[in-house]
Amino acid sequence: MSAGKNPAARAAELREALQEHNYRYYVLDEPVISDAEYDRLFRELQDLEAERPELATDDSPTRKVGAPPADAFESVAHRVPMLSLENCFDDDELAEFDRRVREGLGTDAVTYAAEPKLDGVAVNLTFRDGVLERGATRGDGVNGEAITANVRTIRNLPLRLRADDPPALIEVRGEVLIPLADFAALNRDLEAAGEKTFVNPRNAAAGSLRQLDSRVTARRPLFLYVYGVGIAEGIDLPRSHLAVMDRLRAWGLPVNEHMRRVEGLAGCRDYYRDMLERRDALGYEIDGCVYKVDDETQREELGFVARAPRWAIAHKFPAEEATTTLREVEFQVGRTGALTPVARLEPVFVGGVTVSNATLHNMDEIERKDVRIGDTVVVRRAGDVIPEIVRALPEKRPRNARRIELPVTCPVCGSEVERPEGEAVARCSGGLVCAAQRKEALKHFVSRRALDIEGLGQRQIEQFVDEGLLTSPVDIFRLADHREALVEREGFGEKSVANLLDSIERSKRTTLDRFLFALGIREVGDTMARDLALHFRGLEPLAEAAREYARERAAARAEEDKPAAIDKRLAGLELRRVPNVGPRVAGQIADFLTESHNLEVIRSLREIGVAWDSPGGDGDHPQPLSGKTFVLTGTLPDWSRDEAKTRIEAAGGRVTSSVSRKTDYVVAGESPGSKRDKAERLKVPVIDQAELEALLAGD
Ligand code: IVH
């Protein structure tokens, strides 16, 4: 306790300070003290209040950790009913809404407030004289349940408004959410504890808010956005919804950063497209957009129908989950031989497309979810992500449902299937004998980040492998010998064959990192390939390091028992000096580059003319971006993302996918995503392509 202060004054000071730090942390995203320092202040206030209970106030930040359990929730009447929204599902229905609004108002153009439709739990928060007095669920819209102790624990909800002259009474409405990442972690914890998991983040938020013991709620990372006002007494609020939202924000209430003013139907449509793109990057679930007439006077003119306002509508995104029947499970063999169970489904419309296949990931997942053939299953397709089976509905299981068995032999080549103890992934042991592995290896070899051969698509590769025209990457460079036969093929012609052969010829001149990536060494992605190329600057030094590693590993294994002791002997070797190369990667590289078949392929590729510059050519290579981290967003005028990434990395920079305080620059092009907004919030410089070019040039 600071000297000379009486306990009451100190408690008030601590409350004030903690409120300020909460606001900076949760609303501004700009904390000024460390977490440890915060905890220290928090504990000081807790101790003080424990010693002198009369000093604890309703708005004390310590009230955010939960109160002892209640028997039941009290029913409360909302002073103003909580309405629902009408839904629309397509452009025509939206146009119809806008037409009705314009007709009702007798104007041509309407200004709307556009907002994400948050997929959480609606709450009503009552502040009296600026202090949170009550939190309630929506209930039936007229009566809800008081969940005050629980809402107090919501991380970004202030218990007191930051207003010098707060309204006598105000009801604020909003939605409580749980971040997607925390939802996944929560379910993992529940499962580990043998408890029932939540079906989706909304249910997790609802379940957390309905805990009778608010100390449980306090451990759930709930957060909130406010989007409306019920009753307001003792204040004249602005007549524009967005201006009201600005006021709430100024009071320290969390208002979603994606709320925007848009003009007319066209503005709503643009907003919808924009949000659909940002959706996956938000980190919490939204299920559409809401458009609200912004002007209060116009709202009053339009009024209500039944229990929804005429001045607002929810424009729903295509549902991301649907139920269907699992007809069969087949096992696909990937580039590294990994067997992936693929579900064949009764076709179902989900996430805006018809889905008839979905991944089941691996056998562990199948066992965990207890999915069986014949089951009714929930399929999820979010954004561009591969559709997956989320869960089965055992209550609908038919009697003849069958368990899914891992095949004993590879469905493609008949080689034995191996599943090392403790690993989720089963693999075909056939290597390049297996046509499936060959196909995938070839697809990888020609892919954009590898040798980038245009005109050799997935279908052609499958055909060529099936016909025996391609068995190894070397054969690609021999396709020119089959020119006549290729021209005759269906779907090919003089011109496309010429283009293909050109592209193949051009691909011979490549870079070491692309070549290493193209080889398809397990655990070596494009970033790792780049690190290896930069470190060794040539294939031979890398191969030498791989041989040394394999040699030492064999010796260590012969002489030591414990994995840790073996690794200790290997940790200092050259191969392990490359950034991010640990025992797993090093082991894979050593295996690959000492395997005679692989060396033979590499030798043949070189013989046939595949060649690379050492990265950056000979001698000193300027690295103007050394140590700098970049994030790319939006479409740049001249460069693709990959191109920009390659250039940044060639200049010594790093490209990562998410913006944090450690990011040095965000490079933004046309229609940037939420990364740009985040950069602005975190005060990370946002630059365009021209500015990036200047940095690359070392200016
Ligand atoms: S405004 C009269 N704005 O959707 C206006 N609601 O279907 C009523 N919701 O119960 C609510 N995001 O739980 C509004 N930006 C948003 C919203 C939103 C989600 C929920 C809310 C409401 C339901 C209505």
Side-chain angles (χ1 to χ4, degrees), residues 119-149:
D119 196 5
V121 182
V123 288
N124 188 24
L125 306 164
T126 312
F127 287 89
R128 192 179 292 278
D129 297 322
V131 177
L132 178 70
E133 177 183 75
R134 193 173 77 192
T137 61
R138 177 171 181 276
D140 61 6
V142 179
N143 294 296
E145 287 176 314
I147 48 164
T148 313

PDB file of all heavy atoms in Angstrom, residues 119-149:
ATOM      1  N   ASP A 119     -22.724 -14.096 -33.965  1.00  0.00           N
ATOM      2  CA  ASP A 119     -23.391 -15.361 -33.659  1.00  0.00           C
ATOM      3  C   ASP A 119     -23.070 -15.775 -32.225  1.00  0.00           C
ATOM      4  O   ASP A 119     -22.251 -16.651 -31.975  1.00  0.00           O
ATOM      5  CB  ASP A 119     -22.927 -16.430 -34.654  1.00  0.00           C
ATOM      6  CG  ASP A 119     -23.845 -17.635 -34.641  1.00  0.00           C
ATOM      7  OD1 ASP A 119     -24.871 -17.589 -33.934  1.00  0.00           O
ATOM      8  OD2 ASP A 119     -23.526 -18.617 -35.320  1.00  0.00           O
ATOM      9  N   GLY A 120     -23.711 -15.096 -31.301  1.00  0.00           N
ATOM     10  CA  GLY A 120     -23.463 -15.388 -29.889  1.00  0.00           C
ATOM     11  C   GLY A 120     -24.764 -15.373 -29.111  1.00  0.00           C
ATOM     12  O   GLY A 120     -25.778 -15.864 -29.587  1.00  0.00           O
ATOM     13  N   VAL A 121     -24.715 -14.795 -27.922  1.00  0.00           N
ATOM     14  CA  VAL A 121     -25.881 -14.775 -27.052  1.00  0.00           C
ATOM     15  C   VAL A 121     -26.227 -13.323 -26.749  1.00  0.00           C
ATOM     16  O   VAL A 121     -25.364 -12.553 -26.325  1.00  0.00           O
ATOM     17  CB  VAL A 121     -25.568 -15.494 -25.723  1.00  0.00           C
ATOM     18  CG1 VAL A 121     -26.783 -15.528 -24.833  1.00  0.00           C
ATOM     19  CG2 VAL A 121     -25.047 -16.888 -25.995  1.00  0.00           C
ATOM     20  N   ALA A 122     -27.496 -12.959 -26.964  1.00  0.00           N
ATOM     21  CA  ALA A 122     -27.912 -11.574 -26.739  1.00  0.00           C
ATOM     22  C   ALA A 122     -28.046 -11.298 -25.243  1.00  0.00           C
ATOM     23  O   ALA A 122     -28.542 -12.140 -24.492  1.00  0.00           O
ATOM     24  CB  ALA A 122     -29.244 -11.326 -27.435  1.00  0.00           C
ATOM     25  N   VAL A 123     -27.559 -10.123 -24.833  1.00  0.00           N
ATOM     26  CA  VAL A 123     -27.735  -9.725 -23.433  1.00  0.00           C
ATOM     27  C   VAL A 123     -28.215  -8.287 -23.346  1.00  0.00           C
ATOM     28  O   VAL A 123     -28.017  -7.486 -24.265  1.00  0.00           O
ATOM     29  CB  VAL A 123     -26.427  -9.838 -22.599  1.00  0.00           C
ATOM     30  CG1 VAL A 123     -26.073 -11.285 -22.335  1.00  0.00           C
ATOM     31  CG2 VAL A 123     -25.289  -9.085 -23.245  1.00  0.00           C
ATOM     32  N   ASN A 124     -28.848  -7.975 -22.236  1.00  0.00           N
ATOM     33  CA  ASN A 124     -29.326  -6.631 -21.947  1.00  0.00           C
ATOM     34  C   ASN A 124     -28.602  -6.169 -20.690  1.00  0.00           C
ATOM     35  O   ASN A 124     -28.663  -6.832 -19.660  1.00  0.00           O
ATOM     36  CB  ASN A 124     -30.837  -6.689 -21.711  1.00  0.00           C
ATOM     37  CG  ASN A 124     -31.436  -5.309 -21.598  1.00  0.00           C
ATOM     38  OD1 ASN A 124     -30.871  -4.333 -22.110  1.00  0.00           O
ATOM     39  ND2 ASN A 124     -32.579  -5.203 -20.934  1.00  0.00           N
ATOM     40  N   LEU A 125     -27.915  -5.038 -20.785  1.00  0.00           N
ATOM     41  CA  LEU A 125     -27.094  -4.572 -19.668  1.00  0.00           C
ATOM     42  C   LEU A 125     -27.655  -3.256 -19.149  1.00  0.00           C
ATOM     43  O   LEU A 125     -27.790  -2.298 -19.913  1.00  0.00           O
ATOM     44  CB  LEU A 125     -25.657  -4.354 -20.146  1.00  0.00           C
ATOM     45  CG  LEU A 125     -25.042  -5.572 -20.844  1.00  0.00           C
ATOM     46  CD1 LEU A 125     -23.808  -5.169 -21.626  1.00  0.00           C
ATOM     47  CD2 LEU A 125     -24.722  -6.650 -19.824  1.00  0.00           C
ATOM     48  N   THR A 126     -27.990  -3.223 -17.874  1.00  0.00           N
ATOM     49  CA  THR A 126     -28.560  -2.002 -17.304  1.00  0.00           C
ATOM     50  C   THR A 126     -27.496  -1.269 -16.496  1.00  0.00           C
ATOM     51  O   THR A 126     -26.904  -1.848 -15.577  1.00  0.00           O
ATOM     52  CB  THR A 126     -29.739  -2.356 -16.377  1.00  0.00           C
ATOM     53  OG1 THR A 126     -30.575  -3.274 -17.076  1.00  0.00           O
ATOM     54  CG2 THR A 126     -30.530  -1.132 -15.996  1.00  0.00           C
ATOM     55  N   PHE A 127     -27.248  -0.017 -16.866  1.00  0.00           N
ATOM     56  CA  PHE A 127     -26.331   0.828 -16.111  1.00  0.00           C
ATOM     57  C   PHE A 127     -27.143   1.918 -15.418  1.00  0.00           C
ATOM     58  O   PHE A 127     -27.876   2.657 -16.061  1.00  0.00           O
ATOM     59  CB  PHE A 127     -25.313   1.495 -17.043  1.00  0.00           C
ATOM     60  CG  PHE A 127     -24.274   0.545 -17.577  1.00  0.00           C
ATOM     61  CD1 PHE A 127     -24.505  -0.162 -18.753  1.00  0.00           C
ATOM     62  CD2 PHE A 127     -23.072   0.353 -16.910  1.00  0.00           C
ATOM     63  CE1 PHE A 127     -23.542  -1.031 -19.254  1.00  0.00           C
ATOM     64  CE2 PHE A 127     -22.108  -0.515 -17.403  1.00  0.00           C
ATOM     65  CZ  PHE A 127     -22.340  -1.212 -18.573  1.00  0.00           C
ATOM     66  N   ARG A 128     -27.026   1.986 -14.105  1.00  0.00           N
ATOM     67  CA  ARG A 128     -27.685   3.073 -13.370  1.00  0.00           C
ATOM     68  C   ARG A 128     -26.602   4.011 -12.867  1.00  0.00           C
ATOM     69  O   ARG A 128     -25.633   3.568 -12.246  1.00  0.00           O
ATOM     70  CB  ARG A 128     -28.501   2.515 -12.207  1.00  0.00           C
ATOM     71  CG  ARG A 128     -29.428   3.562 -11.588  1.00  0.00           C
ATOM     72  CD  ARG A 128     -30.231   2.975 -10.451  1.00  0.00           C
ATOM     73  NE  ARG A 128     -31.207   1.984 -10.897  1.00  0.00           N
ATOM     74  CZ  ARG A 128     -32.407   2.283 -11.397  1.00  0.00           C
ATOM     75  NH1 ARG A 128     -32.780   3.538 -11.550  1.00  0.00           N
ATOM     76  NH2 ARG A 128     -33.232   1.321 -11.756  1.00  0.00           N
ATOM     77  N   ASP A 129     -26.767   5.280 -13.181  1.00  0.00           N
ATOM     78  CA  ASP A 129     -25.749   6.289 -12.849  1.00  0.00           C
ATOM     79  C   ASP A 129     -24.352   5.815 -13.270  1.00  0.00           C
ATOM     80  O   ASP A 129     -23.362   6.023 -12.560  1.00  0.00           O
ATOM     81  CB  ASP A 129     -25.777   6.615 -11.355  1.00  0.00           C
ATOM     82  CG  ASP A 129     -27.112   7.239 -10.947  1.00  0.00           C
ATOM     83  OD1 ASP A 129     -27.661   8.037 -11.747  1.00  0.00           O
ATOM     84  OD2 ASP A 129     -27.624   6.884  -9.865  1.00  0.00           O
ATOM     85  N   GLY A 130     -24.304   5.148 -14.377  1.00  0.00           N
ATOM     86  CA  GLY A 130     -23.010   4.755 -14.940  1.00  0.00           C
ATOM     87  C   GLY A 130     -22.464   3.447 -14.414  1.00  0.00           C
ATOM     88  O   GLY A 130     -21.430   2.973 -14.873  1.00  0.00           O
ATOM     89  N   VAL A 131     -23.139   2.836 -13.441  1.00  0.00           N
ATOM     90  CA  VAL A 131     -22.626   1.590 -12.865  1.00  0.00           C
ATOM     91  C   VAL A 131     -23.481   0.410 -13.334  1.00  0.00           C
ATOM     92  O   VAL A 131     -24.712   0.500 -13.333  1.00  0.00           O
ATOM     93  CB  VAL A 131     -22.625   1.656 -11.317  1.00  0.00           C
ATOM     94  CG1 VAL A 131     -22.157   0.337 -10.712  1.00  0.00           C
ATOM     95  CG2 VAL A 131     -21.730   2.796 -10.852  1.00  0.00           C
ATOM     96  N   LEU A 132     -22.814  -0.670 -13.718  1.00  0.00           N
ATOM     97  CA  LEU A 132     -23.549  -1.853 -14.175  1.00  0.00           C
ATOM     98  C   LEU A 132     -24.391  -2.394 -13.024  1.00  0.00           C
ATOM     99  O   LEU A 132     -23.870  -2.779 -11.983  1.00  0.00           O
ATOM    100  CB  LEU A 132     -22.586  -2.929 -14.668  1.00  0.00           C
ATOM    101  CG  LEU A 132     -23.270  -4.226 -15.132  1.00  0.00           C
ATOM    102  CD1 LEU A 132     -24.038  -4.001 -16.424  1.00  0.00           C
ATOM    103  CD2 LEU A 132     -22.252  -5.337 -15.314  1.00  0.00           C
ATOM    104  N   GLU A 133     -25.698  -2.394 -13.244  1.00  0.00           N
ATOM    105  CA  GLU A 133     -26.591  -2.822 -12.168  1.00  0.00           C
ATOM    106  C   GLU A 133     -27.091  -4.236 -12.420  1.00  0.00           C
ATOM    107  O   GLU A 133     -27.254  -5.035 -11.509  1.00  0.00           O
ATOM    108  CB  GLU A 133     -27.783  -1.865 -12.103  1.00  0.00           C
ATOM    109  CG  GLU A 133     -28.829  -2.229 -11.090  1.00  0.00           C
ATOM    110  CD  GLU A 133     -29.993  -1.258 -11.148  1.00  0.00           C
ATOM    111  OE1 GLU A 133     -30.819  -1.338 -12.093  1.00  0.00           O
ATOM    112  OE2 GLU A 133     -30.067  -0.381 -10.259  1.00  0.00           O
ATOM    113  N   ARG A 134     -27.327  -4.536 -13.714  1.00  0.00           N
ATOM    114  CA  ARG A 134     -27.914  -5.828 -14.008  1.00  0.00           C
ATOM    115  C   ARG A 134     -27.560  -6.277 -15.420  1.00  0.00           C
ATOM    116  O   ARG A 134     -27.431  -5.469 -16.331  1.00  0.00           O
ATOM    117  CB  ARG A 134     -29.430  -5.718 -13.894  1.00  0.00           C
ATOM    118  CG  ARG A 134     -30.111  -7.065 -13.873  1.00  0.00           C
ATOM    119  CD  ARG A 134     -31.576  -6.890 -13.588  1.00  0.00           C
ATOM    120  NE  ARG A 134     -32.268  -6.426 -14.780  1.00  0.00           N
ATOM    121  CZ  ARG A 134     -33.510  -5.969 -14.777  1.00  0.00           C
ATOM    122  NH1 ARG A 134     -34.177  -5.863 -13.648  1.00  0.00           N
ATOM    123  NH2 ARG A 134     -34.081  -5.597 -15.897  1.00  0.00           N
ATOM    124  N   GLY A 135     -27.391  -7.575 -15.562  1.00  0.00           N
ATOM    125  CA  GLY A 135     -27.240  -8.150 -16.892  1.00  0.00           C
ATOM    126  C   GLY A 135     -28.305  -9.214 -17.023  1.00  0.00           C
ATOM    127  O   GLY A 135     -28.574  -9.940 -16.069  1.00  0.00           O
ATOM    128  N   ALA A 136     -28.952  -9.280 -18.176  1.00  0.00           N
ATOM    129  CA  ALA A 136     -30.035 -10.259 -18.340  1.00  0.00           C
ATOM    130  C   ALA A 136     -29.978 -10.899 -19.716  1.00  0.00           C
ATOM    131  O   ALA A 136     -29.484 -10.304 -20.675  1.00  0.00           O
ATOM    132  CB  ALA A 136     -31.386  -9.577 -18.147  1.00  0.00           C
ATOM    133  N   THR A 137     -30.473 -12.130 -19.794  1.00  0.00           N
ATOM    134  CA  THR A 137     -30.582 -12.786 -21.098  1.00  0.00           C
ATOM    135  C   THR A 137     -31.789 -12.208 -21.830  1.00  0.00           C
ATOM    136  O   THR A 137     -32.631 -11.546 -21.229  1.00  0.00           O
ATOM    137  CB  THR A 137     -30.818 -14.300 -20.949  1.00  0.00           C
ATOM    138  OG1 THR A 137     -32.056 -14.479 -20.230  1.00  0.00           O
ATOM    139  CG2 THR A 137     -29.686 -14.965 -20.192  1.00  0.00           C
ATOM    140  N   ARG A 138     -31.886 -12.527 -23.106  1.00  0.00           N
ATOM    141  CA  ARG A 138     -33.012 -12.030 -23.891  1.00  0.00           C
ATOM    142  C   ARG A 138     -34.304 -12.739 -23.478  1.00  0.00           C
ATOM    143  O   ARG A 138     -35.362 -12.136 -23.434  1.00  0.00           O
ATOM    144  CB  ARG A 138     -32.712 -12.287 -25.367  1.00  0.00           C
ATOM    145  CG  ARG A 138     -33.818 -11.880 -26.293  1.00  0.00           C
ATOM    146  CD  ARG A 138     -33.348 -11.975 -27.738  1.00  0.00           C
ATOM    147  NE  ARG A 138     -34.403 -11.571 -28.641  1.00  0.00           N
ATOM    148  CZ  ARG A 138     -35.374 -12.362 -29.068  1.00  0.00           C
ATOM    149  NH1 ARG A 138     -35.414 -13.621 -28.669  1.00  0.00           N
ATOM    150  NH2 ARG A 138     -36.298 -11.922 -29.880  1.00  0.00           N
ATOM    151  N   GLY A 139     -34.189 -14.027 -23.159  1.00  0.00           N
ATOM    152  CA  GLY A 139     -35.386 -14.802 -22.805  1.00  0.00           C
ATOM    153  C   GLY A 139     -36.357 -14.825 -23.968  1.00  0.00           C
ATOM    154  O   GLY A 139     -35.952 -15.038 -25.105  1.00  0.00           O
ATOM    155  N   ASP A 140     -37.628 -14.527 -23.675  1.00  0.00           N
ATOM    156  CA  ASP A 140     -38.601 -14.518 -24.770  1.00  0.00           C
ATOM    157  C   ASP A 140     -38.733 -13.121 -25.374  1.00  0.00           C
ATOM    158  O   ASP A 140     -39.655 -12.848 -26.138  1.00  0.00           O
ATOM    159  CB  ASP A 140     -39.961 -15.040 -24.283  1.00  0.00           C
ATOM    160  CG  ASP A 140     -40.538 -14.164 -23.177  1.00  0.00           C
ATOM    161  OD1 ASP A 140     -39.943 -13.103 -22.880  1.00  0.00           O
ATOM    162  OD2 ASP A 140     -41.576 -14.536 -22.606  1.00  0.00           O
ATOM    163  N   GLY A 141     -37.834 -12.237 -25.010  1.00  0.00           N
ATOM    164  CA  GLY A 141     -37.865 -10.886 -25.545  1.00  0.00           C
ATOM    165  C   GLY A 141     -38.555  -9.916 -24.601  1.00  0.00           C
ATOM    166  O   GLY A 141     -38.259  -8.727 -24.588  1.00  0.00           O
ATOM    167  N   VAL A 142     -39.467 -10.432 -23.790  1.00  0.00           N
ATOM    168  CA  VAL A 142     -40.197  -9.589 -22.843  1.00  0.00           C
ATOM    169  C   VAL A 142     -39.622  -9.809 -21.440  1.00  0.00           C
ATOM    170  O   VAL A 142     -39.330  -8.875 -20.709  1.00  0.00           O
ATOM    171  CB  VAL A 142     -41.712  -9.921 -22.861  1.00  0.00           C
ATOM    172  CG1 VAL A 142     -42.460  -9.067 -21.854  1.00  0.00           C
ATOM    173  CG2 VAL A 142     -42.254  -9.720 -24.270  1.00  0.00           C
ATOM    174  N   ASN A 143     -39.445 -11.083 -21.088  1.00  0.00           N
ATOM    175  CA  ASN A 143     -38.827 -11.436 -19.807  1.00  0.00           C
ATOM    176  C   ASN A 143     -37.557 -12.235 -20.057  1.00  0.00           C
ATOM    177  O   ASN A 143     -37.542 -13.127 -20.911  1.00  0.00           O
ATOM    178  CB  ASN A 143     -39.783 -12.291 -18.973  1.00  0.00           C
ATOM    179  CG  ASN A 143     -41.004 -11.505 -18.567  1.00  0.00           C
ATOM    180  OD1 ASN A 143     -40.909 -10.519 -17.826  1.00  0.00           O
ATOM    181  ND2 ASN A 143     -42.149 -11.904 -19.086  1.00  0.00           N
ATOM    182  N   GLY A 144     -36.525 -11.890 -19.303  1.00  0.00           N
ATOM    183  CA  GLY A 144     -35.281 -12.649 -19.401  1.00  0.00           C
ATOM    184  C   GLY A 144     -34.856 -13.111 -18.021  1.00  0.00           C
ATOM    185  O   GLY A 144     -35.609 -12.974 -17.054  1.00  0.00           O
ATOM    186  N   GLU A 145     -33.654 -13.658 -17.931  1.00  0.00           N
ATOM    187  CA  GLU A 145     -33.138 -14.089 -16.633  1.00  0.00           C
ATOM    188  C   GLU A 145     -31.980 -13.190 -16.230  1.00  0.00           C
ATOM    189  O   GLU A 145     -31.135 -12.856 -17.068  1.00  0.00           O
ATOM    190  CB  GLU A 145     -32.622 -15.528 -16.736  1.00  0.00           C
ATOM    191  CG  GLU A 145     -33.732 -16.551 -16.846  1.00  0.00           C
ATOM    192  CD  GLU A 145     -33.169 -17.943 -17.048  1.00  0.00           C
ATOM    193  OE1 GLU A 145     -32.263 -18.122 -17.883  1.00  0.00           O
ATOM    194  OE2 GLU A 145     -33.633 -18.849 -16.351  1.00  0.00           O
ATOM    195  N   ALA A 146     -31.948 -12.828 -14.959  1.00  0.00           N
ATOM    196  CA  ALA A 146     -30.859 -11.985 -14.461  1.00  0.00           C
ATOM    197  C   ALA A 146     -29.605 -12.843 -14.316  1.00  0.00           C
ATOM    198  O   ALA A 146     -29.606 -13.821 -13.574  1.00  0.00           O
ATOM    199  CB  ALA A 146     -31.248 -11.373 -13.130  1.00  0.00           C
ATOM    200  N   ILE A 147     -28.572 -12.478 -15.040  1.00  0.00           N
ATOM    201  CA  ILE A 147     -27.310 -13.224 -14.968  1.00  0.00           C
ATOM    202  C   ILE A 147     -26.189 -12.248 -14.626  1.00  0.00           C
ATOM    203  O   ILE A 147     -25.079 -12.309 -15.164  1.00  0.00           O
ATOM    204  CB  ILE A 147     -27.023 -13.950 -16.305  1.00  0.00           C
ATOM    205  CG1 ILE A 147     -27.225 -12.988 -17.489  1.00  0.00           C
ATOM    206  CG2 ILE A 147     -27.905 -15.181 -16.475  1.00  0.00           C
ATOM    207  CD1 ILE A 147     -26.606 -13.493 -18.779  1.00  0.00           C
ATOM    208  N   THR A 148     -26.503 -11.340 -13.714  1.00  0.00           N
ATOM    209  CA  THR A 148     -25.596 -10.237 -13.401  1.00  0.00           C
ATOM    210  C   THR A 148     -24.193 -10.703 -12.989  1.00  0.00           C
ATOM    211  O   THR A 148     -23.193 -10.210 -13.512  1.00  0.00           O
ATOM    212  CB  THR A 148     -26.211  -9.362 -12.284  1.00  0.00           C
ATOM    213  OG1 THR A 148     -27.576  -9.119 -12.628  1.00  0.00           O
ATOM    214  CG2 THR A 148     -25.462  -8.062 -12.132  1.00  0.00           C
ATOM    215  N   ALA A 149     -24.147 -11.667 -12.067  1.00  0.00           N
ATOM    216  CA  ALA A 149     -22.825 -12.103 -11.586  1.00  0.00           C
ATOM    217  C   ALA A 149     -22.005 -12.657 -12.746  1.00  0.00           C
ATOM    218  O   ALA A 149     -20.783 -12.487 -12.797  1.00  0.00           O
ATOM    219  CB  ALA A 149     -22.984 -13.169 -10.500  1.00  0.00           C
TER     220      ALA A 149
END
